[in-house]
Amino acid sequence: MDIEGHGAIVTGGASGLGKATARHLASLGADVTILDNSGELAAQVAAEINGHSRQCDVTREESVAEGVNSAIARFGQAPRIVVNCAGIGIAARIIGREGKVSTKTFRQVLEVNLFGTYNVMTYAAQAMMSLNRLDNGERGVIVNTASVAYEDGQIGQSAYAASKGAIASMCLPAAREFAKQGIRVLAIAPGLFETPMMQGLPRETVDGIVANIPFPNRLGAPGEFGQLAADIISNPYLNGTVIRLDASVRLPPR
């Protein structure tokens, strides 16, 4: 799909990978709507890219439906492009200090990462089905964000790995379900990126993390995630698969 001239939704577009993706898609001519829990930051990014924004809690179906409808009202029709970047990365051992359990954290992470992604994919795909097909037969593309943690999650990442593993696992069945409607579904599994979460760590901690990355021996740039998202959207034969973007890193146990 040619990105230029089409509407796009980017969740989590107020920061990190989502912000870089929103900027990149806008630079390629997309009309981008940012859905983010931080309405103020989303509005700032939208103003920079001449886009649109709406505060959205992806865990709430009604909020997601309102966000998708806001994008439709902005563009005049359903967006053909959706990139789900909204997520959290709370770390917690299954059983922590003094035998404390982490079921509440587990539920919270799955609510945002998994159910949030599912909610947006659901309402976006429903809207896309109303669109006319393009010349190549497709109506739209949905790109979800998994993580390398779904395959090599570290100690303390059980909730995060489970949420991202579920996103990866539903990629193929979702793509198969939406195939007759001309909607492609893919997922990116990013490795270690220069995001706000990483920027908050001590320099020596970051250096230790980078030491495990083979090549390029550095953290990923958020723009490289946005570039891959755009490549996926542009390549009509990509569908139903998870692509690791990780400089060949494999995470150690801790």
Side-chain angles (χ1 to χ4, degrees):
M1 179 189 300
D2 186 359
I3 293 171
E4 185 175 6
H6 293 308
I9 287 177
V10 179
T11 69
S15 63
L17 302 180
K19 181 178 180 179
T21 301
R23 284 176 167 170
H24 189 61
L25 293 179
S27 74
L28 296 174
D31 189 331
V32 180
T33 293
I34 296 172
L35 303 183
D36 198 284
N37 200 39
S38 175
E40 183 177 349
L41 291 177
Q44 291 175 9
V45 177
E48 294 173 9
I49 63 174
N50 195 30
H52 173 62
S53 69
R54 187 178 180 91
Q55 192 279 333
C56 180
D57 179 353
V58 295
T59 68
R60 295 174 54 241
E61 285 191 54
E62 60 272 25
S63 184
V64 170
E66 290 169 0
V68 172
N69 287 334
S70 176
I72 294 172
R74 153 81 177 192
F75 195 63
Q77 64 176 19
R80 292 190 184 272
I81 299 165
V82 173
V83 184
N84 276 308
C85 294
I88 58 175
I90 303 172
R93 289 174 179 255
I94 298 171
I95 302 175
R97 294 178 180 176
E98 301 176 354
K100 184 179 180 180
V101 300
S102 60
T103 52
K104 183 178 180 180
T105 298
F106 189 88
R107 187 174 292 109
Q108 180 185 3
V109 172
L110 262 70
E111 280 287 344
V112 177
N113 293 357
L114 175 57
F115 285 93
T117 296
Y118 187 87
N119 286 339
V120 175
M121 180 173 65
T122 297
Y123 284 94
Q126 183 185 53
M128 286 178 185
M129 290 176 184
S130 68
L131 294 169
N132 293 327
R133 293 177 184 265
L134 299 174
D135 290 344
N136 65 356
E138 68 180 336
R139 284 192 169 98
V141 185
I142 299 170
V143 181
N144 297 325
T145 301
S147 166
V148 295
Y150 95 93
E151 290 189 316
D152 35 271
Q154 297 177 295
I155 292 172
Q157 286 188 328
S158 292
Y160 186 72
S163 69
K164 296 302 186 177
I167 289 171
S169 293
M170 71 180 180
C171 182
L172 180 59
R176 286 172 165 170
E177 177 179 341
F178 297 144
K180 289 185 178 180
Q181 297 293 339
I183 299 171
R184 295 186 285 125
V185 182
L186 295 103
I188 300 173
L192 304 167
F193 273 70
E194 189 76 47
T195 61
M197 182 176 66
M198 194 69 71
Q199 291 166 356
L201 297 176
R203 185 70 252 174
E204 58 271 19
T205 301
V206 175
D207 289 343
I209 292 171
V210 171
N212 289 317
I213 302 174
F215 184 81
N217 183 222
R218 59 171 174 79
L219 296 174
E224 291 168 326
F225 179 95
Q227 181 182 349
L228 178 56
D231 290 342
I232 287 171
I233 295 162
S234 300
N235 191 325
Y237 207 63
L238 281 172
N239 196 13
T241 194
V242 182
I243 301 174
R244 284 183 68 128
L245 183 65
D246 61 10
S248 75
V249 74
R250 295 299 179 268
L251 303 181
R254 64 179 76 215

